[in-house]
Amino acid sequence: MLGYGVGMPEQIRLSGIVVIVGNYGSGKTEVAINLAVDQHAKGSQVHVADLDLVNPYFRTREARQALRDLGIDIVLPPEGWLQADLPILAPQVAGLIRQPGQLAILDAGGDGVGATVLAALADAFKTVHAPLQMLQVVNPFRPNTDTVPRCLSMRDAIESASRLKVTGWIGNAHLMDETTVDHIQQGHDLLQALARASGLPLVCMAVDSSLASQAAVLTLGCPILTIKRQLVPPWRHPMPLTDHT
Amino acid sequence: MSKVLMKGNEAIAEAAIRAGCLNYFAYPITPQSEVAEYLAWRMQEVNGVFLQGESEVAVSYMIFGAAGAGVRVFTTSSSPGISLMSEAISYLCGAQLPAVFVNIMRGGPGLGGILPSQGDYLQATKGIGHGDCRLFVMAPEGVQEAAEMVMRAFPLAEKYRNPVMILGDGLIGQMMEPVEFPDHLKSVPSNKNTWATNGMDHRKSKTRNLVRSLFLDSQILNNNNLILRDKYERMKKEDVCFEAYNTEGDYRILIVAYGTMSRVCKTAIATLKEQGIDVGLIRPQTLFPYPEAAVREAARKESCRHVLCIEMSMGQMVEDVERSVLGARPVKWYGKCGGDVPTPEEIIELVKSTLALHKSY
């Protein structure tokens, strides 16, 4: 069992269906990709589905080759429609929900609008026997999730649109290349307060690989998901995913 | 205020509010729709107005009406939407009304695609509308600069009583970077009494303001165009902006690039520097007025052998580069469109192959 508090495991262990939600720009996709790689490295058979129907750029599909090279299955709209801004939901997604295997990670779009796609899959979710978690990614340095009430309000919007309940939090406190350990600690403080206010566990803190081994990060007291950035602007290269453990 | 992480589109929206612009009319189109999405809730917090028009044409005349009434007003769109607004932009120029337009460019022509492009350079700088009209055009290379340019755009629009455009490719709107906003600007245009149709009593004036772009008398129309021409010439004298990068020492190649493309070029220049090859860069921050003198001077540096203009288009700014260099050095264009951005590796290869042409030096 994952959770924030006494006896919490240091490693992230997930199974069944894990839906990743959050506000625009919270880092859902980067978290979903790295979570898939992390769980794959720990021996799970992992499927990832890109359900982002609202974001035109920087989607899971940009990392499709890197994921497939590792043996991680990724469910996408048909190749010819990958660059469209149309609400295309691959029919295989409903099948994946019914038969998620060891772990199926669903990367939804941002805010309540992006989570609406989950309501369209309500029939498939009803038949699920596997464990189902919906984890909300929070970056406290984004303008509308900088306080506990705003994070809770975002959760309400997502739950209302998706007809599913958020079951845990993932902290993703960063300012891109300008992130310091202080930012991660500040973010962790807010996530702890959020976990207390909501009664839901803090599943992990996502931390860029350049900072993940810092002592101050390792002693935060919650599992750390190392982020190797995949969604980068054209003057940068994605970090290689192969040695992710 | 401390730094926050924002998409370019969100930062553009917030910057407009901090510039005292409480009037936003728009129609959604990828890849700029986040501006409208952000302002849909944020305008309510500041008692501002966001109205989604039934089309870009409708939006553009809402802009005309609000500008005529003397309030700060702006809109955002992407390439095909800007084409629909071009008639009203010409009317705004003719009537000398200030307003701010943001074009987050996508690939074209026609509906094209939704990926980033710089294909509207010629439209923005030379052909935005019918008649002898010009926009003041600024091009940011990142989220911070996009916010700063939006805040600068409103006073510039009022200074010249002319529309100002922020021209960013799709990546400028979609990418996320930390941003820190400058202080708020005063909300009321200081010189609005010279044009605003807000009532003679209201502004304690005995002369009426008339907003129009129709001048049937040939002399009066000619005079209006002379006034506009003087303004465009004044823009060239007073408000040209550019960044010179790695131009202090000698370089054999000069690159001219703007927006996202300049970020890619800077990465390539840093790698080439490590290999002992110096390359200079001029990044126009204003596209009209164009930094002709800066490009010319940098190209004519004794060490410089070749000028490269790199764009996310099929060659548009290269015309201004050639016009600036005036034949003093060979100018080569390189670019792509459709959404694939030239990579740092491609630019490094381009620089090396160009240098190979000048072995004797």
Side-chain angles (χ1 to χ4, degrees), chain B residues 63-76:
Chain B
I63 300 286
F64 189 97
V71 298
R72 282 193 175 146
V73 61
F74 92 118
T75 188
T76 57

Side-chain angles (χ1 to χ4, degrees), chain A residues 55 57 85 141-142 178 237, chain B residues 3 5 10 30 114 345:
Chain A
N55 227 12
Y57 303 175
D85 56 344
F141 296 100
R142 291 282 291 143
E178 297 180 26
H237 292 293
Chain B
K3 285 192 175 179
L5 187 64
E10 296 170 333
T30 307
I114 64 167
E345 291 73 22

Side-chain angles (χ1 to χ4, degrees), chain B residues 242-257 262 265-266 269-270 273 277-284 291 293-308:
Chain B
F242 65 91
E243 180 193 7
Y245 180 83
N246 203 39
T247 54
E248 303 81 20
D250 284 348
Y251 47 84
R252 286 191 292 167
I253 300 283
L254 175 73
I255 293 178
V256 187
S262 67
C265 290
K266 284 178 180 176
I269 289 170
K273 203 176 183 70
I277 300 170
D278 269 306
V279 174
L281 171 76
I282 296 289
R283 174 174 73 90
V295 171
R296 180 159 49 248
E297 197 180 311
R300 286 182 172 177
K301 191 162 191 169
E302 203 178 335
S303 61
C304 182
R305 293 287 166 259
H306 217 115
V307 180
L308 301 176

Side-chain angles (χ1 to χ4, degrees), chain A residues 24-25 54-59 83-85 111 113 139 141-144 150 174-176 178 233-235 237, chain B residues 3-7 10 30-31 34 37 114-116 170-171 174-176 178 260 263-264 267 341 344-345:
Chain A
Y24 284 128
V54 292
N55 227 12
Y57 303 175
F58 300 116
R59 299 179 279 193
Q83 306 295 357
D85 56 344
D111 287 13
V113 179
N139 180 354
F141 296 100
R142 291 282 291 143
N144 44 2
R150 285 186 175 193
H174 75 93
L175 278 173
M176 295 288 185
E178 297 180 26
W235 56 90
H237 292 293
Chain B
K3 285 192 175 179
V4 287
L5 187 64
M6 288 184 122
K7 262 192 176 186
E10 296 170 333
T30 307
E34 291 86 357
E37 189 139 19
I114 64 167
L115 294 177
L171 274 162
Q174 291 296 324
M175 70 179 172
M176 294 184 67
T260 289
R263 299 280 289 267
V264 181
T267 301
V341 181
E345 291 73 22

Side-chain angles (χ1 to χ4, degrees), chain A residues 79-157:
Chain A
E79 194 74 27
W81 296 95
L82 279 181
Q83 306 295 357
D85 56 344
L86 298 168
I88 299 167
L89 187 58
Q92 299 93 315
V93 173
L96 183 62
I97 292 169
R98 292 192 177 98
Q99 292 183 317
Q102 285 180 297
L103 176 62
I105 296 174
L106 309 186
D107 176 24
D111 287 13
V113 179
T116 306
V117 62
L118 298 167
L121 295 163
D123 286 345
F125 279 116
K126 276 180 203 162
T127 62
V128 168
H129 299 295
L132 171 62
Q133 294 194 68
M134 185 157 84
L135 306 178
Q136 182 174 337
V137 180
V138 172
N139 180 354
F141 296 100
R142 291 282 291 143
N144 44 2
T145 48
D146 52 349
T147 63
V148 168
R150 285 186 175 193
C151 292
L152 292 174
S153 160
M154 182 59 65
R155 177 192 67 172
D156 294 345

Side-chain angles (χ1 to χ4, degrees), chain A residues 142-208:
Chain A
R142 291 282 291 143
N144 44 2
T145 48
D146 52 349
T147 63
V148 168
R150 285 186 175 193
C151 292
L152 292 174
S153 160
M154 182 59 65
R155 177 192 67 172
D156 294 345
I158 289 169
E159 288 186 343
S160 165
S162 67
R163 299 192 217 160
L164 296 171
K165 291 285 179 195
V166 170
T167 59
W169 305 99
I170 294 178
N172 187 31
H174 75 93
L175 278 173
M176 295 288 185
D177 294 344
E178 297 180 26
T179 314
T180 64
V181 170
D182 280 352
H183 293 123
I184 295 164
Q185 283 173 326
Q186 281 177 46
H188 183 249
D189 289 347
L190 184 124
L191 265 295
Q192 276 186 302
L194 188 57
R196 277 193 297 273
S198 62
L200 298 174
L202 172 57
V203 173
C204 62
M205 288 290 289
V207 179
D208 188 80

